[in-house]
Amino acid sequence: MRVYLPFTLPTLAGLLAEGQTVLPVRGYAVTPALREWYSSGDDEELEYVALTQAARASLRLLLADPGAPGRRVVLAAELPAEQVVGIAGFDEPALVEVKVSVRVRDVVSGHIDDLGAVADVRAAVDALPAADGGDEDARFTVDGAEGHELLWYATQELQHVTG
């Protein structure tokens, strides 16, 4: 099962150094709830939705670590389906919990903001608390980060991005 995992550049560096994540691991995947929510979407569209939700979760990780570079990071991992449990709710239909540590060898690609997105990502991170409180202007700012497509990185390239 393909699972999209939100990270920051420092947590990605930690994964590369340690070789695996610590538990629990939350991610995003094509769940039955997501299929129901997007009843007309094909698999590729649903995968993109899961990736986008993981990128939004990466913003929250950046809020928790203000010293981290302002770039969203999402890793795509292939994991045994029996180790992934859907905990999706109405607001996050792709949300899952991984019951095992994710190892570097499980990662099939990385998706990271270009340096040109840093200002918009930082603005989105700063606006998150107000957006959570219902401020429409802040929500617009948070949504603005999604205007930047994440760049695709092969697994062997990830060590060069964190340096």
Side-chain angles (χ1 to χ4, degrees):
M1 170 180 245
R2 173 82 37 108
V3 178
Y4 296 94
L5 306 164
F7 276 79
T8 63
L9 287 174
T11 58
L12 171 57
L15 170 67
L16 295 174
E18 297 296 321
Q20 66 184 19
T21 61
V22 295
L23 294 174
V25 177
R26 287 198 168 189
Y28 297 83
V30 177
T31 64
L34 183 62
R35 286 188 189 283
E36 185 176 319
W37 204 40
Y38 282 93
S39 59
S40 64
D42 64 17
D43 285 344
E44 189 172 315
E45 290 171 313
L46 295 173
E47 293 274 344
Y48 185 76
V49 169
L51 170 70
T52 302
Q53 289 187 356
R56 175 82 47 121
S58 181
L59 287 176
R60 295 200 176 281
L61 296 176
L62 290 169
L63 180 63
D65 183 5
R71 296 168 72 188
R72 297 169 299 162
V73 177
V74 176
L75 299 181
E78 285 293 330
L79 302 166
E82 63 272 7
Q83 297 296 330
V84 180
V85 177
I87 54 173
F90 180 76
D91 292 338
E92 293 185 294
L95 185 61
V96 297
E97 188 169 282
V98 180
K99 297 296 184 185
V100 294
S101 293
V102 177
R103 299 163 302 192
V104 171
R105 71 175 181 245
D106 299 323
V107 175
V108 294
S109 62
H111 307 268
I112 303 171
D113 275 313
D114 182 74
L115 288 172
V118 170
D120 288 339
V121 169
R122 276 282 160 226
V125 169
D126 292 342
L128 270 174
D132 289 344
D135 182 313
E136 290 300 320
D137 290 334
R139 284 184 182 164
F140 181 78
T141 301
V142 171
D143 291 344
E146 291 176 8
H148 295 276
E149 291 290 327
L150 299 175
L151 301 177
W152 181 91
Y153 289 88
T155 54
Q156 64 269 27
E157 296 174 303
L158 293 174
Q159 65 185 349
H160 303 294
V161 179
T162 62

